[in-house]
Amino acid sequence: MAPFATNSTAEKFKNEGNDHFRKHDYEKAITLYDKAIKQDPNQVAYYTNRATAFFKLHEQRYPNLHSWFKTWLTTPEYEPDHEESKAEESTKLLKLVLQDSRKALSIDCKNLKAYYYFGLVAFMFGKLHEAWGKFVECYRLAIEAQSPSLVDVMNFISKLRVKLCGNRKNISLKSEGISQSSTGLSRGKFANYENLHFLLNISIQSEYNANCNNIISQYDHIEDDDYQKASFRRNPKFQKQIEDQAKRYHDKLKDADDLFNFVKEELNGNNTGKRSDSSAIDSKEINVTTSDKSKQTNGNNKTDAKKDGKLKVRLDVPLYEIPEYLIDPVKYGMMTDPVITIYGESYERKNLVEFVAKHHIDPVVKKPLELNQIYPNKSLKLAIQKFVEEHKIAE
Amino acid sequence: MAYKRRLLKEMQTLLDLSIPGLKFIPTEDGINHWYVDINIVDNPIYDPAHAFRLEIVAGDEYPIEPPMVKFIGQEIPLHPHVYSNGHICLNILGDGWTPAQSIRSIALSIQSMLQGNTKNERPPDDERYISHAPQNPRSSGWVYHDDNV
C-alpha cells in the first residue's frame, strides 16, 4: 500500500483544485492538480481529476463543438467534418485528456472515470469502436461498483450502439484493425463482441425492470388500500403501459441481436469481395420473397386464381392511366374492394380497416369513424370491373 | 410492398411539381428516404437565401403511420416548435396524421409553420428535451404546446 498512501501536501493541492473545479475555474484547477501530481505521482484520483478538468475546459472553450457532437451521436448520417474539430488547440486539449486517462489506467486498470473520459475522447476523435470498447468496460465496472454514473454510461452506450448500428453502410470493422489480424485474433475479437452482446442484454433487461418498477410505483402511490393495490394491475391503462414496456424491451433485444449478428457476419465473412457477397444475399432474399408469394397464389382456390388474373392486369396498367376516382387515397393503388364511409369518402377496404382499427378517424375528412360505419361501394366496384375489362380488351 | 407503390406515385408528382421555396431531393438510400430544402422568403427571422434541410424517412408502415421527419444539417431553424436537435413538434407528424396527407403536404405545413413564425426562439423545454430525446422523433410522446401552428 506504500505507493498509495496519501501525501498530505498533495492532498491539500487536490482539495484546492476541487474547489476551483466546482467554481468552473478549470485552468486554476488544472495547475493545482499538476502540483498535486508532482508531489505524489502515484495517485489515480489526481490524474482522473485532471482529465476531467481538461475535458470540462474543452467543453467551456468549444461549446458549439460539444453540442455538435451530441447531435452527431444521435444522427447516424452525420460525418465528422466540423471545422472546430480540426482546430489544433482543441485536439491538444483532448489529447491531454487521453494522456491522463491512460496514465490513470496504467496505475489502476479498473478506474471507471478514466475509461469514461477515454471513451468520450475516442468518440470525439471519430473512433467509434474504440469508444465502444471503453464504454462497455466502463459499464461493467459501473455495475460492479453500483456507481450512480451507471445511468449516464448506459445512455451513452445505447446511443453509441444506435450509431454503430445505424451506420451500417459506413461501418468498417476491418479498418479498425481487424483486417490485419489473423483469424485467431479475429476470433478473440468475436469473443469480445459475444461478451458485449451479453452485457447489452443485461442493460436492456435492467432498463426494462426499472421502467416497470417506475410504472408500478406510480400506481402504488395513488392507491394505498391493499385491496385496490391488487386491482390496479387489472387497470387497462396500467396493463397497456406494461405492455408497451414489454414491446420496447423486445424491440431492443432484437436490435441487439441484429447488431450482434451483423458483427458476426462481418468477422466471419471473407474480407475480400465482401460487397459482392452482400449483394448476392440481397438478391437471394428477394428471390425467396417472390417465390413465397407465388406459392401463396398457387395455393389459392380456382376462384381466387381468376381474381389473380385481374390483379395482374391491374398491376400492368401504368399508374397515370387509372382515373383519379378509382384510386385509393391511402395507398394510391387502384381499388379492388371499395368501401364508403358515413362521410361519403371511398377507400380500399383493407387499407381503411388497417388505419381505422388503430386511429378511429376517417383519413380524408378527419372525423371520428368506427369500423361499423363502413359500407361496400357497389357502384364504384362496377366501375372498377368495367375499367379492368376495357383495358383487357384494349390490350 | 403497397407503400412502395404509393411512394412511387408521390415521387412522380413531387418531381414534376414546383412549389416556390421547396426542393425535393431523392437520396440513394431508396424511394422512402427524401431530403427537402426549404427556403423561407417573406419572414425577417430567416435568411431567404438559406435553405433548411428536412429529412423525411417513410417507414414500412407508411402511409398508415406518419413518416419520420426532422431537420438536419448545421443550421436548425429557430422556431418555438423546433428543437435544436432538429425534431419538430407538429401534430400531423404524430397523432394528427392521416394517410390522406402526403410528403408534399408535410413539407408545405412545415414551410408555412416557419413562414408564420413571429418568435425567434427555441421551445421552452429545449434543453431538457434534447438531453433525453430518442433518435426517432416519432418515439417522443409529444405534448403539443398549442394548436395554432
Side-chain angles (χ1 to χ4, degrees), chain A residues 255-309:
Chain A
D255 275 2
D257 282 348
D258 281 354
L259 177 70
F260 177 64
N261 287 334
F262 170 70
V263 171
K264 206 159 123 186
E265 265 173 39
E266 194 84 359
L267 288 173
N268 288 345
N270 211 337
N271 282 346
T272 52
K274 176 72 187 157
R275 287 228 166 134
S276 57
D277 267 12
S278 66
S279 66
I281 290 167
D282 279 351
S283 61
K284 254 183 213 164
E285 271 174 6
I286 290 163
N287 282 338
V288 169
T289 48
T290 46
S291 65
D292 274 354
K293 268 179 197 165
S294 61
K295 261 183 210 165
Q296 278 172 5
T297 45
N298 286 342
N300 281 342
N301 293 334
K302 277 181 187 174
T303 45
D304 284 346
K306 253 189 191 175
K307 265 189 196 168
D308 278 343

Side-chain angles (χ1 to χ4, degrees), chain A residues 358-369:
Chain A
K358 266 188 190 168
H359 300 278
H360 309 281
I361 289 172
D362 183 315
V364 171
V365 189
K366 293 191 189 174
K367 282 181 184 167
L369 182 74

Side-chain angles (χ1 to χ4, degrees), chain A residues 74 76 78 162 169 330 363 366, chain B residues 6 29 61 63 73 98 101 135:
Chain A
T74 45
Y78 269 20
V162 170
K169 270 185 198 160
V330 174
K366 293 191 189 174
Chain B
R6 171 171 164 146
D29 284 356
E61 300 234 8
T98 78
Q101 282 144 348
Q135 196 194 14

Side-chain angles (χ1 to χ4, degrees), chain A residues 4 6 41 61 197 208 215 251 263-264 298 319-320 358:
Chain A
F4 292 100
T6 46
R61 283 195 189 158
H197 179 241
Y208 168 68
I215 294 170
D251 286 353
V263 171
K264 206 159 123 186
N298 286 342
L319 284 166
Y320 49 85
K358 266 188 190 168

Side-chain angles (χ1 to χ4, degrees), chain B residues 52-135:
Chain B
F52 296 109
R53 179 157 282 197
L54 204 61
E55 184 189 28
I56 300 184
V57 182
D60 288 351
E61 300 234 8
Y62 183 82
I64 301 299
E65 296 298 333
M68 191 277 288
V69 181
K70 67 183 176 195
F71 279 107
I72 57 169
Q74 300 281 336
E75 231 176 290
I76 309 289
L78 273 171
H79 186 283
H81 295 168
V82 179
Y83 290 92
S84 45
N85 60 357
H87 290 191
I88 306 159
C89 179
L90 182 66
N91 67 339
I92 61 161
L93 302 180
D95 295 347
W97 167 260
T98 78
Q101 282 144 348
S102 59
I103 290 177
R104 178 176 157 269
S105 75
I106 286 175
L108 276 172
S109 302
I110 291 173
Q111 193 191 25
S112 72
M113 177 179 110
L114 294 179
Q115 223 136 38
N117 182 23
T118 51
K119 290 178 188 162
N120 195 4
E121 59 186 33
R122 291 265 175 245
D125 54 346
D126 187 42
E127 265 182 37
R128 192 174 56 82
Y129 173 75
I130 61 167
S131 63
H132 67 266
Q135 196 194 14

Side-chain angles (χ1 to χ4, degrees), chain A residues 129-144:
Chain A
H129 294 277
E130 200 170 320
W132 177 249
K134 297 292 174 241
F135 271 99
V136 167
E137 195 60 34
C138 199
Y139 180 74
R140 211 164 57 193
L141 290 169
I143 288 184
E144 270 175 27

